[in-house]
Amino acid sequence: MAYRVLTLPCTGSSQQQLKLLSDLLIRSFSSGPKNVGFIGLGNMGGPMASNLMAKGHKLHVFDISKDAKESLKAKGAVPYDNVAELAKASDFVVTMLPNNDIVADTYDTIIGGGGIKNQTIFIDSSTIDPNVAKAVQKKVKAAGATFVDAPVSGGVPGAKNATLTFMVGGTSEEYQAVKELLEGMGKKITHCGGYGMGQAAKVCNNMMLGISMCGLAECMNLAIRLGLDPKVFADIVNASTGRSWASEVNNPVPGIIPTAPAASGYAGGFATGLITKDLGIASAVATSSNSPIPLGALTHQIYRTLMAKGLANKDFSVVYDFLKNTEGK
């Protein structure tokens, strides 16, 4: 079924805004395969892009890793060496990148390389400072396209199983325009409010994640030293008030959850370097909003210590291994 959105006669910027709104509404009603650009094919981005392909979308992909691009190419994606050219070929562009600077630089490159089309919708699923997301949105809008922040929660298992939670920052119309596409990668798509609010939700969530993992690691270590069987205590936690995502999915004690990173030397999963970065963002926005975060600040310091110990690439549950080997030092 075809949809038309009628606009009233107007001039200048008002006419441009109405046309953009019309395009967004048309997109929200349309269905079927789309040309999707995906930039960033790491532990999260790779599975997310694969899930979009499984939904029938045509993927245009970029990553600094040739192997990552070749892996998606083998599944039918079109690889690119230039993000601006990728954007030109795409109706939607999803970015899944490590930090503030890389996100900002990527969008500057796209804009500077003429990769912006009026009808393109850019979706950033990285975890970055909400103020950076707002700044990128302004640049993309000034270039004539649409940008929303849509960070995710659910970790690598959620990325692989298409069960991620997306936290979307943008207008209601923009949320409707991206919702169907995001449902190809996630189970829960939530509109958090205006630009940057998706990132605000994600930063707060990840601070809670870091705090809960440190708490769980500390308590598991204490329980074991008191003589409790770790599996027995883990079952008690998961049937009691101490239950959390960390305890149910990513218990840090080896041998409790076969699929957790702890079972494979803390390889894979959510890197210590990334949770440390996210806690740093939380610290910065807490300072700017005059919000006390004593537990968040302590957790940030603990993970900074792990970074100094050379554990940046280990899953963040490695904090247990660190604590159990600490004897009041």
Side-chain angles (χ1 to χ4, degrees), residues 264-316:
S264 55
Y266 301 100
F270 185 30
T272 291
L274 291 178
I275 189 70
T276 305
K277 179 263 294 183
D278 293 352
L279 289 164
I281 294 173
S283 179
V285 297
T287 299
S288 65
S289 63
N290 197 30
S291 303
I293 54 164
L295 292 179
L298 179 57
T299 302
H300 187 206
Q301 186 57 48
I302 291 171
Y303 278 105
R304 288 180 64 187
T305 301
L306 267 62
M307 293 278 287
K309 297 289 185 180
L311 300 171
N313 294 323
K314 294 290 188 179
D315 180 75
F316 78 121

Side-chain angles (χ1 to χ4, degrees), residues 111-264:
I111 294 169
I116 297 289
K117 299 186 300 183
N118 288 346
Q119 70 270 31
T120 306
I121 300 177
F122 292 88
I123 304 168
D124 182 46
S125 291
S126 318
T127 300
I128 58 174
D129 189 312
N131 293 317
V132 174
K134 292 177 184 178
V136 172
Q137 186 276 331
K138 288 180 180 178
K139 288 183 178 181
V140 172
K141 181 180 178 181
T146 300
F147 172 95
V148 300
D149 50 292
V152 302
S153 180
V156 174
K160 290 180 177 179
N161 298 321
T163 56
L164 292 168
T165 293
F166 282 86
M167 294 156 267
V168 183
T171 67
S172 296
E173 293 80 11
E174 290 164 349
Y175 167 72
Q176 290 299 331
V178 302
K179 187 172 183 287
E180 182 183 353
L181 185 77
L182 297 182
E183 285 173 340
M185 300 178 283
K187 188 174 182 180
K188 184 174 178 60
I189 320 299
T190 301
H191 185 209
C192 298
Y195 305 117
M197 290 303 98
Q199 293 296 349
K202 178 61 189 294
V203 167
C204 293
N205 178 77
N206 275 23
M207 185 174 75
M208 185 69 252
L209 176 64
I211 292 170
S212 63
M213 180 56 80
C214 285
L216 176 64
E218 189 173 287
C219 292
M220 291 298 301
N221 183 52
L222 175 61
I224 292 168
R225 289 191 181 189
L226 291 175
L228 281 162
D229 181 289
K231 288 187 177 181
V232 170
F233 182 63
D235 286 343
I236 291 170
V237 168
N238 287 331
S240 304
T241 54
R243 184 175 69 245
S244 67
W245 180 89
S247 68
E248 290 186 316
V249 178
N250 200 22
N251 193 294
V253 179
I256 292 180
I257 300 176
T259 55
S264 55

Side-chain angles (χ1 to χ4, degrees), residues 3-28 117-121 141 144-146 173-174 177:
Y3 290 82
R4 291 194 308 159
V5 179
L6 302 179
T7 60
L8 295 174
C10 54
T11 59
S13 61
S14 295
Q15 187 175 20
Q16 185 178 17
Q17 289 173 4
L18 281 173
K19 184 179 185 306
L20 180 59
L21 177 58
S22 298
D23 290 342
L24 287 171
L25 289 172
I26 289 170
R27 248 164 227 268
S28 70
K117 299 186 300 183
N118 288 346
Q119 70 270 31
T120 306
I121 300 177
K141 181 180 178 181
T146 300
E173 293 80 11
E174 290 164 349

